Amino acid sequence: MLVRDFPNKRIKGLLERIKNGLGWRYQQFVEPTIDLYGDIPSFVKYQYQLKTKVLKHKAVYIYANRRNIGDYISHLGVREITGIQGGELYCSKGGHKDLLAYLERCREKGVVALIGGGGLFQPAFELFWNSLLASKVEFALIGVGVNQMAGRPLLPRELLSKVVQRAESIHVRDNFTLEYLQTLNEAEITLGVCPSVNFINRSTHGQKGDSTNTLLHVVHPSDLRMSGVSVERLRENLRQFCKEEGFCYRESDNMGTNVTKAIKDIRSAALVVSSRLHGCIMSYASNTPFVPLYCDKKTEYFVDSHTDKKGYEAVQFQDMKFTRGVLKKELTEISSYSNVQGVLQRKIKENYDFGESLRAKFF
């Protein structure tokens, strides 16, 4: 039996590596310019609301797009804290043509742009920021963040300074972004937790889901590889830990449009190990135990700004002994639900207070 199964296992492993390799390359190099925003229904829905909603309200929401759960759930959080009706515009490169077509019309009609959340202060969005400034549309920044990562520069300082100067209100998601933007301009900037926390907390009524015996690995293949981490080795070590401790291993890349399923998967996990920022944020919002793996700075900024947790460089989890020690320790040191909820509710209220100030200012 073992002899007969061996080729099948080798083929399965080879196909998995090919799939993962093609997947992250498609997301990194193709989707930014040929973008269906997750799937064909999402594309059709977006085009329909362009025609029916964008110019019908006093506000328009601008964010990257729906194909990344983190970007989309942050946008839903922005809607949650502002409570203002409005259409949507995508600021990723794939949506730039539609964005340009509507920005000028938004200015003419006095529509205010509510921008965020997400890590929009990176060169991939430089075209968007230049177009926004040229349009002279009034705008506010909500739940946005700066991300430092090896091999990727930040948005040019001169451009970012102009964005900060022009913004009517700015509410950022971590201390590093707050301090960095304050070095560029003396604008008033407030700090809050990622708006997605508000959306998750309301949609789940602040209740932890029924835990299953599952370790959920929320993985960011491209960023891990860019930071020198072997995704295959990391995955192998986590699977080995699950085998030793009797857990079921599950994996998600947090891409797609099914927010409900993404939240459910997080809430039902016994433990989340995440190299994606919003794998950590969604765990935090639902009081699910999680281990942050750093392959860029944005996750570290979130952890340091809003939690008392310890994070780890993802490369450390290529060592099985280290992996085993950290995960066992995490499972025995879970914070009490009531203590976490107390901190969460304070941060959630701060976000709602910012939303109220926006309504008073613009609407």
Side-chain angles (χ1 to χ4, degrees):
M1 180 65 72
L2 289 175
V3 174
R4 191 171 65 183
D5 283 352
F6 180 68
N8 293 335
K9 290 180 180 179
R10 288 185 62 185
I11 291 171
K12 183 178 179 180
L14 176 62
L15 291 175
E16 185 173 294
R17 287 193 294 274
I18 292 173
K19 177 184 175 183
N20 291 333
L22 291 174
W24 75 262
R25 286 175 174 85
Y26 173 76
Q27 292 168 9
Q28 187 79 10
F29 302 114
V30 179
E31 271 192 331
T33 53
I34 305 174
D35 203 339
L36 294 178
Y37 312 126
D39 50 42
I40 292 176
S42 295
F43 178 81
V44 172
K45 185 176 181 180
Y46 177 65
Q47 293 298 320
Y48 176 76
Q49 70 87 37
L50 283 177
K51 306 295 189 298
T52 60
K53 293 184 179 181
V54 170
L55 300 174
K56 301 294 185 183
H57 301 284
K58 294 181 179 180
V60 62
Y61 291 87
I62 301 179
Y63 62 106
N65 57 49
R66 289 192 180 200
R67 61 185 165 86
N68 181 311
I69 290 291
D71 291 333
Y72 185 41
I73 202 170
S74 296
H75 157 70
L76 293 175
V78 172
R79 283 187 178 273
E80 173 68 23
I81 69 175
T82 61
I84 300 166
Q85 287 189 317
E88 301 175 12
L89 289 172
Y90 295 161
C91 59
S92 59
K93 288 182 179 178
H96 191 70
K97 182 178 179 180
D98 290 324
L99 179 87
L100 279 179
Y102 280 90
L103 277 179
E104 180 64 24
R105 297 168 69 186
C106 285
R107 184 189 65 79
E108 292 172 354
K109 287 183 171 290
V111 176
V112 176
L114 304 178
I115 303 171
L120 301 179
F121 296 142
Q122 51 185 312
F125 298 100
E126 186 171 347
L127 182 61
F128 158 66
W129 290 116
N130 279 314
S131 299
L132 177 72
L133 293 176
S135 74
K136 295 183 170 54
V137 169
E138 283 191 303
F139 64 92
L141 306 176
I142 311 166
V144 291
V146 172
N147 180 28
Q148 286 185 313
M149 182 177 177
R152 291 184 186 174
L154 298 177
L155 200 67
R157 286 178 63 89
E158 183 179 358
L159 174 58
L160 186 50
S161 179
K162 291 178 181 178
V163 170
V164 173
Q165 184 178 17
R166 278 280 311 280
E168 297 291 337
S169 295
I170 306 175
H171 192 61
V172 298
R173 69 187 184 189
D174 58 65
N175 281 317
F176 178 85
T177 301
L178 175 68
E179 294 166 4
Y180 185 79
L181 296 188
Q182 286 176 334
T183 67
L184 303 176
N185 197 287
E186 295 181 355
E188 182 179 349
I189 304 171
T190 56
L191 171 68
V193 72
C194 176
S196 62
V197 171
N198 289 61
F199 175 80
I200 295 167
N201 193 263
R202 183 190 61 78
S203 62
T204 61
H205 307 289
Q207 298 297 314
K208 173 75 173 75
D210 295 330
S211 292
T212 59
N213 197 34
T214 298
L215 184 150
L216 179 63
H217 181 202
V218 185
V219 61
H220 201 313
S222 59
D223 283 6
L224 285 168
R225 289 188 173 93
M226 288 184 70
S227 63
V229 176
S230 167
V231 179
E232 292 74 21
R233 174 63 64 83
L234 173 59
R235 182 182 290 123
E236 180 183 326
N237 285 350
L238 293 177
R239 282 176 169 162
Q240 178 63 31
F241 176 81
C242 289
K243 183 177 180 180
E244 293 173 359
E245 301 297 324
F247 286 96
C248 175
Y249 176 90
R250 293 187 63 189
E251 186 173 302
S252 169
D253 63 2
N254 241 22
M255 300 298 289
T257 59
N258 194 336
V259 169
T260 301
K261 182 180 183 302
I263 295 174
K264 182 179 179 181
D265 288 346
I266 292 281
R267 294 177 70 221
S268 63
L271 179 65
V272 174
V273 178
S274 180
S275 53
R276 280 193 175 273
L277 171 62
H278 280 85
C280 296
I281 291 176
M282 293 163 71
S283 300
Y284 169 78
S286 61
N287 197 39
T288 301
F290 69 100
V291 176
L293 301 187
Y294 300 152
C295 56
D296 58 25
K297 289 294 186 181
K298 62 186 176 184
T299 303
E300 185 175 352
Y301 299 154
F302 160 71
V303 171
D304 290 348
S305 298
H306 300 292
T307 81
D308 59 359
K309 293 189 67 64
K310 177 178 174 57
Y312 303 90
E313 295 298 326
V315 70
Q316 294 176 286
F317 270 60
Q318 295 186 124
D319 180 89
M320 184 60 210
K321 183 178 179 181
F322 182 87
T323 300
R324 186 184 295 113
V326 169
L327 298 185
K328 282 189 173 183
K329 183 173 183 290
E330 181 65 31
L331 288 168
T332 59
E333 296 184 358
I334 297 174
S335 301
S336 73
Y337 182 70
S338 58
N339 288 343
V340 172
Q341 277 297 298
V343 175
L344 266 178
Q345 293 307 316
R346 175 175 58 80
K347 292 179 179 292
I348 285 169
K349 183 179 183 303
E350 290 171 353
N351 277 355
Y352 281 129
D353 288 345
F354 177 78
E356 186 176 344
S357 72
L358 274 186
R359 290 194 299 275
K361 185 169 188 174
F362 290 115
F363 308 101

